[in-house]
């Protein structure tokens, strides 16, 4: 195969540097060819080789490779300025095309070419996962991440995703991944998972055609009689299996993203609404679509804001009224850059859900106590209201919530003011 | 559903203009919302509505809509220049991200959002098909086409395509499309197609997951004993079915693109090579992978270059030597902007194929005579050579061909020179 | 493979007889081994060989083979009598088992063994098809047919059949068979078939897992507004496609059995009722399930019974009242061995349908005129009544029909009586 | 639905008896109708009802129902004798047909009708499972079992079975059943199973189309370098995964039947040979196809035959030579009614395998020690020899074995003779 000769010629001898770095140099040289005219006839072969080279890089090689991508595959500053002048002077299609050509970093074409190889998409997702790690110490790599994110966001457009129901007839290879990824309420092996797939439960996941059998995100649903105040009965392995046609409420009790390399590319909004809509059509008896959600940032915020944090079940129990009030305040009044502080609240309120109810001791696990004194919260998705709720949130920076929650939040004002006088440990 | 209210509010009353134009205005307003912050919560609903509105536009509405896309969704000139200055002064990730943000036309986001609707991808391909028609009279729409092409090219990346074998077990709905689309050698209904799917024939197509059951491009292959000199036996409906395990040569006798809206996004290169590779693995007896291809531009070029064009079978037969020589010259010596003139030659030679043999009266149909005096040509794909051939073509502007073809081309010099003296009708 | 040696030894030399007969002898010897103890270890190999031998028989060989099956693989008369005595004296399980063992012809085990080969079931169906032909001249083969029918009837039990919808997404290889088999209203190629698969039409077929992609029987359904009186609009290729959700009536306008080798094994009863039930569930707007059926025996019966038969459109038209009366009489009053004479009437009335309406000139094709003066009839399937109708038919030998048909039948008495005086040509 | 009325009428009031018995009476009456002429029109409805009634029977009801099947659905003794006389006098097809009609118990038709209901086949398999239990105390039910077995044997003919590979991509619902059914070498949950499905292992199962996702029998295969002498490495969860293309030997280390209701209907013979053949075609490097099998009856036989049975690891280890000799004797010399005593040996030797090697301490588990002093044995399937081996076994009652095993068996003579003098506890 002629491509072999070409590759050998390209990779030349890069003898003095460490092995990983030499491999990264070889990869970079190969990518240069891949995006040149010469890469057209043998693009598939070169892309395959590039993916293999990338996957074989060690940590040093990856670091070197990312730096090269950041430095050597960026737009030319003079060319950009020239094209911008031309477009500014005369906004013709040709000038615009030229501008786009020089303003787009060459690494985007690199990624598109690598994607042509079998397994290319999976390799790019892995690359982004590793890049996100590398970025912690090398913020200059952000530009590379920007391009990868742009492409992956475009490729994982909702229109290309497939919603699949997960049940006990699903291949074990997929179920195994749910067990591995589920973070909110850990799944203790296949028997535990099986209970979560019985007829009074549902599980749905988004898949992408290029990542066969690899879920992107999944949601777990339980059918219950009413808005749930406690997560334990939902997770109980031994519970009796209910009749889905008699349930009034569908609880989204866990939503899990599976691909760290797709972080920030949001599927959850679509997933919840699509599933709510489909369940509504299938089971007209369902009247309430709601979550039972954690409040991950509550305890840390309380400690910081009030300078104290109740410890131990007894103390927590004694502080119930105060803690509930603080939680209501935290979820509705604490904003930063146009969003509420709590990440889970941000997600659901941004999607147009309504903050319905605080549930005392809804998650009495160690983790639940440590995060939020055992408090959980219901967000309600009323498909007829999400647009209005969303606008309230986005435009007027107001959290749509029930009267009970609002009352609690107002009651918190006193606690907050008195606390403000106290010096906090985290200023 | 709150989105309804929003939509109604947006669409307002656009009373005075023609119906199609009003609809286009409504669509444009909806798209503005879709790409704004407000579109996040109800994106799926709005996208669905936008696709329906687009598909319902009449000719006037489409024209109006395309103009709006070209004018109102283009990058802001001042913002571009400002971002270019900033990036030129200091090439930080933030400056680059800002540049990309303002340099990318807002219509790209429009298209990405519309793609989220069910059937969105198909609608965008249809939009491009209609845009290409509109562009003939409105070249200013080229900028819109540039963006659509960019996105479709990225979405129809080789890594997302699925190669499928087409046979008599394929759904009729797909086979019907092959019959409809095949242009080179028309298929006369299902019985004709059935012969082309027997065991001594093969047919493969690329599909995209978002266009289920809609072939993008397909290639028809015949297994024969030797490099074919005549297309008639391959197309003959009544021919005996051969044994694929005894054939030496796989002939790619027809390659057809199915989607006008994907024009210019090339799949053929990948298709031929993938199929050649797969067939090679399945049937080791196959030693030659070649085409039997038309020379669509030969007659027109001959008329223009020599000022004459033989008419009628007898005259053509009498001019065989001269016409073969001219064909060899035309295919190897006539270049324009770095490519040979003939479009089919350009495709195969650019892919790294070798021009192997001229075949006299290989297509004696009216169409064959009208295009190329009945001449056809074999391009040979030797997978071990395509890279080298491709480089010869791209870098040294040389067509790799057999000695026989080269000799013919040299012999043409005399005809060409004498002809040059003659004034031609098309200067 | 040891089986080879065995086979060779078995087949020995059968030199003097014609080739086909020798082959049949070889097959018979092989089958003896196959059902003996020696056949256990290599049963699959021997079965494969037996099927190949059978499929390779010529007419003489088949005839010889069928005779051997009839004579040499029948129950032993003495053994049967002895077992019957024993069972009569003492009806123990052991005696019953012994009786069944000797009363079952050995050829049943032959067929079960042959069925183990790949393609075995299809070969046995073909064998029965050929046997039915041979039986016309050799009624003694009936005993062989009895066994084949018994086994095929057991294997093609409703519980093993799969109902599949046929539409334009069905593989061409299956659609081609519908075109080939449809006998009632011929299908003129794929475009005609396509019209019959549009959304205001339906087609369903039974399949058996051992005969992949080979329909056993299929029914064609049209959705119309009311009980149809004419078949032409249903068959019209150019008709507008209606909305299935607005139709009141599902017409079963054609039912076709596809496998001559399964003749007498009835699937139609199940097919119609299953389809009616499924359509009822899917489209609650459907209120009437009925056929538009031919009366294949009407004209022949009329000629025989009345000694005359109107010829030519004008005469037929002039005899309308008389012919309708005779048809009503023929369908309701003419019985033989507990069944009405007309085969189509026998099928639907036996299934529990109601004879609803005679339709004048409902099938004005040559065939329609020749069979029944253009008359067709509607049988109505009212799922709540089929059991009662069936009992009337079976127990009281009464045809459940509408008042109009009954009145017509009564009016026929006069015609029939006067005709009886006339000597008929077919006594 | 008219069938409802009929059913209600049939079931009447059976008030005085226990509920289960009344239900069984109702079922019996329904079955009478089902096989009568009246059952034709509404057969599907009645069959569905009959299956539901059967599945709802309690133990008393089942017992009553089985007795009814045995007594009331048996052939009429006089009719049988009369038909036998007629056939004896004149063996016409009509007499034979009449004989078969009266000799076949009516319950066979009952079972065929019940099979028409959805889930009918599964219900009949369950019925046979329960019947086998009931037969232990009621041997008169054997006649019912004979009919069920006859039908199930015909329906589960090899020609209707589908061989499927089981791997980690198989639905969990199926894998769960392997875990449940595997008896020889228990599977400790999904992780254990996963190791058994890695690339150096294989698992295949037979399925029947009427029992979707319900394996009938499965075999587990390991690829190793040589004939294995120890089962532990094959079962080890933590072992390194080998390369199947480098293995010389395929070990069938476990074969498990899944359906107690199909006991005695043998699939194992076909399964092993089909899998051996398929693996041979896929991996030409495999030269040996063999089992590593238990000797379940060895210890019990030894105790009985020699009057002693070594206890405890040390004593066993000290008796190795004697125990190996006894095992060789037991496997080759101990026959009963034309078969060797040991059930596993009977299966493999009857299939034409060769007894190759005794393996000391090949299964040192408690169970292995208890059954056979830890001894296991290799049976080798040489596809070219199975027919010859099978004939030796069937015709000459000789076990084909290696020289080493034969030598061991001969050495056992002395032990056996001396032991014979000793009175045994089980005479």
């Amino acid at each position: 195969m002629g491509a072999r000769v070409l590759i050998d010629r390209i990779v030349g001898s890069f003898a003095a540097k460490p092995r990983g770095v030499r491999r990264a140099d070889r990869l970079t040289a190969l990518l240069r060819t891949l995006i040149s005219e010469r890469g057209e006839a043998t693009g598939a072969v070169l892309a395959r080789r590039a993916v293999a080279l990338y996957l074989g890089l060690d940590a040093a090689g990856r670091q070197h490779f990312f730096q090269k991508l950041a430095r050597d595959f960026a737009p030319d500053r003079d060319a950009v300025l020239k094209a911008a002048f031309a477009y500014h002077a005369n906004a013709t299609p040709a000038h615009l095309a030229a501008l786009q050509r020089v303003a787009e970093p060459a690494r985007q074409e690199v990624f598109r070419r690598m994607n042509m190889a079998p397994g290319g998409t999976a390799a790019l997702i892995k690359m982004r996962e590793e890049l996100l790690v590398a970025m912690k110490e090398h913020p200059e790599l952000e530009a590379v991440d920007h391009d990868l994110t742009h492409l992956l966001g475009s490729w994982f457009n909702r229109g290309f995703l497939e919603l699949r129901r997960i049940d006990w007839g699903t291949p074990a290879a997929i179920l195994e991944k749910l067990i591995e990824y589920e973070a909110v309420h850990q799944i203790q092996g296949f028997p535990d998972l099986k209970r979560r797939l019985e007829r009074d439960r549902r599980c749905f996941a988004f898949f992408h055609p290029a990542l066969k059998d690899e879920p992107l995100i999944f949601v777990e649903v339980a059918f219950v009689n009413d808005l749930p105040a406690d997560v334990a009965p939902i997770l109980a392995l031994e519970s009796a299996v209910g009749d889905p046609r008699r349930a009034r409420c569908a609880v989204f009790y866990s939503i899990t993203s599976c691909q760290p390399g797709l972080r920030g590319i949001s599927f959850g909004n679509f997933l919840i609404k699509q599933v709510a809509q489909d369940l509504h059509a299938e089971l007209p008896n369902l009247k309430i679509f709601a979550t039972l959600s954690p409040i991950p940032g509550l305890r840390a915020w309380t400690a910081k804001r009030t300078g104290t944090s109740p410890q131990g079940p007894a103390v927590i129990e004694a502080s119930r009224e105060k803690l509930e009030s603080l939680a209501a305040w935290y979820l509705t009044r604490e904003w930063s850059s146009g969003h509420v502080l709590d990440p889970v609240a941000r997600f659901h309120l941004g999607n147009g859900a309504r903050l319905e109810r605080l549930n005392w001791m809804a998650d009495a696990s160690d983790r639940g106590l440590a995060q939020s004194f055992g408090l959980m919260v219901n967000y309600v998705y009323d498909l007829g209201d999400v647009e209005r709720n969303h606008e309230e949130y986005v435009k007027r920076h107001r959290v749509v919530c029930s009267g009970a929650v609002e009352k609690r939040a107002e009651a918190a004002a006193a606690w907050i003011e008195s606390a403000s006088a106290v010096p906090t440990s985290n200023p």
Side-chain angles (χ1 to χ4, degrees), chain A:
Chain A
M1 178 109 3
R4 259 256 48 112
V5 179
L6 172 65
I7 292 163
D8 289 350
R9 220 178 316 144
I10 291 164
V11 302
S13 60
F14 299 84
K17 308 178 190 171
R19 202 174 156 284
V21 172
R22 283 191 331 243
R23 197 182 172 100
D25 282 336
R26 246 183 300 161
L27 171 56
T28 315
L30 182 63
L31 294 175
R32 277 269 161 240
T33 307
L34 188 58
I35 60 176
S36 77
E37 226 174 18
R38 286 165 66 200
E40 269 170 35
T42 48
V45 177
L46 299 186
R48 197 179 290 238
R49 176 87 181 128
V51 164
L53 273 173
Y54 175 75
L55 294 176
L57 288 182
D58 58 16
R62 269 202 301 276
Q63 182 56 38
H64 186 67
F65 174 60
F66 290 155
Q67 293 294 348
K68 285 236 164 193
L69 280 181
R71 256 195 338 259
D72 303 351
F73 291 80
D76 181 274
R77 298 197 279 180
D78 292 336
V80 164
L81 192 54
K82 201 175 143 203
F85 268 121
Y87 178 68
H88 191 264
N90 193 358
T92 62
H95 283 161
L96 178 53
L99 172 68
Q100 288 178 266
R101 199 164 43 243
V102 299
E104 184 187 280
R107 57 194 166 241
Q108 285 202 16
E109 184 63 13
V110 161
F111 300 144
R112 283 193 289 261
R113 293 298 182 111
M114 288 181 75
N115 191 66
M116 290 177 180
T121 313
L124 291 173
I125 291 175
K126 188 159 176 291
M127 187 191 290
R128 180 153 182 262
E129 183 176 349
E130 294 169 337
L131 182 66
L132 289 172
V133 174
M135 272 169 65
K136 288 178 188 161
E137 301 199 351
H138 298 276
E140 71 276 17
L141 297 178
E142 197 188 309
V144 181
D145 181 50
H146 186 268
D147 289 313
L148 257 183
T149 305
H150 177 77
L151 276 180
L152 291 172
S154 184
W155 287 339
F156 285 77
N157 184 292
R158 168 68 186 95
F160 301 133
L161 304 186
E162 187 198 348
L163 183 70
R164 283 196 229 156
R165 180 167 171 195
I166 304 289
D167 58 23
W168 198 235
T170 299
I174 293 178
L175 296 183
E176 179 184 48
K177 279 162 196 161
L178 304 200
I179 296 175
E180 180 190 340
Y181 294 134
E182 158 71 277
V184 184
H185 302 296
Q186 289 206 348
I187 305 174
Q188 313 295 339
F190 280 82
D192 183 2
L193 179 54
K194 190 181 179 185
R195 177 64 190 89
R196 301 195 189 188
L197 302 174
E198 295 283 4
R199 55 200 289 270
D200 61 348
R201 299 283 186 273
R202 287 286 163 89
C203 181
F204 295 91
F206 271 144
F207 288 82
H208 188 277
L211 295 179
K212 208 179 150 297
D213 293 352
E214 188 70 51
L216 306 182
I217 186 172
F218 64 94
V219 62
E220 295 170 80
V221 188
F223 298 140
V224 294
N225 290 333
D226 222 327
L227 202 62
D230 186 356
V231 78
I234 290 175
L235 299 178
L237 206 57
E238 307 297 336
S239 54
V241 174
D243 181 347
R245 285 160 311 177
R246 294 172 179 279
R248 280 187 64 243
C249 178
V251 193
F252 298 78
Y253 66 95
S254 187
I255 302 167
T256 306
S257 291
C258 304
Q259 308 294 333
L262 294 177
R263 202 172 74 202
I265 299 167
S266 182
F267 311 118
N269 180 3
F270 294 112
L271 182 60
I272 290 179
K273 286 172 192 167
Q274 183 73 55
V275 166
Q277 203 173 311
D278 291 359
L279 289 177
H280 182 69
E282 185 196 340
L283 297 166
N285 47 294
L286 293 173
K287 304 298 182 201
I288 307 170
F289 295 88
T291 74
L292 182 56
S293 302
I295 319 171
L298 178 60
R299 185 171 205 134
W301 171 83
T302 304
K304 189 171 149 191
R305 196 68 152 94
T306 69
T308 81
S309 177
Q311 302 288 346
V315 182
I316 289 176
E317 194 57 48
S319 318
R320 174 170 177 172
E321 199 189 325
K322 174 180 170 184
L323 290 172
E324 286 189 356
S325 298
L326 287 170
W329 176 282
Y330 168 63
L331 292 170
T332 58
R333 306 293 202 269
E334 293 285 323
W335 291 66
S336 161
S337 350
H339 285 289
V340 294
L341 268 192
D342 189 76
V344 172
R346 199 184 308 149
F347 173 73
H348 292 298
L349 298 173
N351 289 342
R354 181 175 73 245
L355 174 51
E356 186 65 19
R357 195 173 73 193
L358 292 163
N359 298 290
W360 185 248
M361 281 302 141
D363 178 5
S365 71
D366 287 352
R367 182 187 169 131
L369 292 171
Q371 275 191 346
S372 58
F373 316 108
L375 268 165
M376 296 186 86
V377 71
N378 303 118
Y379 299 100
V380 169
Y381 280 85
D382 196 331
L383 291 181
D385 291 339
V386 293
E387 200 271 323
R388 192 168 49 232
N389 295 346
H390 171 72
E391 277 203 42
E392 282 293 307
Y393 180 80
V394 166
K395 296 216 159 156
R396 282 176 283 284
H397 292 182
R398 212 177 65 76
V399 168
V400 176
C401 65
S402 65
V405 169
E406 180 61 26
K407 212 173 280 177
R408 276 280 180 231
E410 283 161 13
W415 302 108
I416 298 286
E417 277 160 34
S418 68
S420 300
V422 176
T424 65
S425 47
N426 313 26

